[in-house]
C-alpha cells in the first residue's frame, strides 16, 4: 500500500479522482497528507472535509521549506508523493529523499508542451496554436526540473479543427482522472522500474 502525500495548488480534481479510486478499491493507497503552497485551495478544503491532514506552505519561509517538508512527510508516514496540479518546484532535498517515488501529472504529451509556465490553460492554448492533431495527459516521475523525468503513462485525445482550449482541457482532464490512479497502482504493485532515465512496467 502506498502512503501518499498529494501536493496540489488549486481545485484538486485529480486529488478527488485519486481518493475515489481508493474508495472504489482500484488503488491500494492511503492519502496521509495533502500539501499546498496556497492557503486557499480546493485541495486543502477537500482534505479538511475528509479528515486528511491538510498542510499549507504559505507561512513557511522559503529557506525553511525543504527541511520543514521532509520533517512533515516523515511525520505522516509518507512513502510516495504525487503532484496533482502543484505549480511549484519541489525542494531539491525532497526530490532526492523520494527519488523515483514522486509522480506528476501534466495535461499534454510530454516532452512537448511542458516546462516552467506551462500549466493549465496555457498548455492547451499552446497545443492548439501548434496545429497538433492529438494531445493527451502524461504521468511521469519527478526530478529537479518542471515536467521532466521518466514517463510512466500517457494517453491521447484527438484534437478537432474547431477545438478551444476549454473543450480540450475538459477532455484531457477526464483522461487525467483515469490515468493518475492507474499509474499509482503500478507503483503500489511494485511493477515500475527505472533504468537509463526510462521506466519499464512489468506485466
Ligand atoms: C491538471 O490539469 C494538471 O494536469 C495540471 O494542473 C491541473 C490541476 O487540476 N498540472 C500542470 O499543468 C503541471 N504542469 P486539478 O487541481 O483539478 O487536479
Amino acid at each position: 500500500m502506498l502512503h501518499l502525500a498529494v501536493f496540489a495548488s488549486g481545485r484538486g480534481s485529480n486529488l478527488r479522482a485519486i481518493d475515489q479510486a481508493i474508495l472504489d478499491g482500484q488503488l491500494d493507497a492511503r492519502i496521509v497528507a495533502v500539501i499546498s503552497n496556497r492557503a486557499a485551495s480546493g485541495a486543502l478544503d477537500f482534505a479538511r472535509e475528509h479528515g486528511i491532514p491538510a498542510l499549507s506552505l504559505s507561512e513557511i519561509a522559503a529557506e525553511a521549506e525543504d527541511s520543514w517538508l521532509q520533517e512533515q512527510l516523515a511525520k505522516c508516514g509518507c512513502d510516495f508523493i504525487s503532484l496533482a496540479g502543484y505549480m511549484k518546484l519541489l525542494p531539491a532535498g525532497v526530490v532526492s529523499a523520494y527519488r523515483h517515488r514522486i509522480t506528476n501529472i501534466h495535461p499534454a504529451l510530454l516532452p512537448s508542451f511542458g516546462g516552467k509556465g506551462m500549466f493549465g490553460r496555457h498548455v492547451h492554448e499552446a497545443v492548439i496554436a501548434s496545429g497538433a492533431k492529438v494531445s493527451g495527459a502524461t504521468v511521469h516521475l519527478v526530478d529537479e526540473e518542471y515536467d521532466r523525468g521518466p514517463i510512466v503513462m500517457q494517453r491521447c485525445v484527438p484534437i478537432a479543427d474547431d477545438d478551444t482550449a476549454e473543450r480540450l482541457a475538459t477532455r484531457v482532464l477526464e483522461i487525467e482522472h483515469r490515468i493518475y490512479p492507474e499509474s499509482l497502482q503500478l507503483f503500489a504493485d511494485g511493477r515500475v522500474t527505472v533504468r537509463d532515465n526510462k521506466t519499464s512496467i512489468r506485466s
Side-chain angles (χ1 to χ4, degrees):
M1 176 186 276
L2 302 178
H3 298 87
L4 271 185
V6 180
F7 283 63
S9 302
R11 72 194 152 185
S13 74
N14 277 288
L15 164 67
R16 284 162 213 262
I18 291 168
D19 183 67
Q20 192 58 49
I22 295 171
L23 291 175
D24 292 344
Q26 288 161 1
L27 172 57
D28 187 20
R30 191 155 64 82
I31 302 175
V32 295
V34 172
I35 300 174
S36 184
N37 57 322
R38 289 184 44 230
S41 81
L44 286 183
D45 291 343
F46 177 84
R48 288 188 194 106
E49 284 159 20
H50 290 77
I52 302 167
L55 306 174
S56 169
L57 271 171
S58 56
E59 307 275 293
I60 309 297
E63 60 278 12
E65 195 176 299
D66 199 340
S67 55
W68 185 83
L69 272 175
Q70 289 192 56
E71 200 177 298
Q72 298 302 319
L73 290 167
K75 225 190 251 178
C76 65
C78 164
D79 56 24
F80 202 96
I81 296 174
S82 288
L83 309 186
Y86 189 62
M87 303 306 172
K88 201 177 173 194
L89 272 186
L90 277 185
V94 175
V95 174
S96 161
Y98 287 84
R99 178 87 52 201
H100 298 166
R101 288 182 293 141
I102 312 175
T103 50
N104 179 42
I105 184 130
H106 185 74
L109 297 174
L110 293 175
S112 297
F113 305 109
K116 193 167 166 47
M118 274 296 188
F119 58 88
R121 186 193 163 83
H122 304 293
V123 179
H124 305 293
E125 283 171 351
V127 169
I128 288 176
S130 77
K133 299 298 181 198
V134 290
S135 189
T138 303
V139 175
H140 66 97
L141 285 164
V142 168
D143 66 12
E144 287 74 7
E145 296 288 329
Y146 282 106
D147 302 325
R148 203 183 62 177
I151 290 169
V152 178
M153 193 181 286
Q154 295 185 301
R155 208 158 287 163
C156 297
V157 298
I159 300 173
D161 289 344
D162 61 349
D163 246 335
T164 61
E166 288 74 20
R167 283 205 295 265
L168 181 57
T170 303
R171 295 203 313 284
V172 170
L173 196 63
E174 279 171 29
I175 300 286
E176 293 184 43
H177 294 165
R178 278 188 260 146
I179 71 168
Y180 214 178
E182 275 179 41
S183 302
L184 293 175
Q185 185 56 36
L186 295 176
F187 288 93
D189 285 336
R191 291 173 56 194
V192 184
T193 50
V194 186
R195 203 197 300 158
D196 299 334
N197 217 34
K198 288 183 200 147
T199 64
S200 49
I201 315 292
R202 205 167 31 79
S203 51

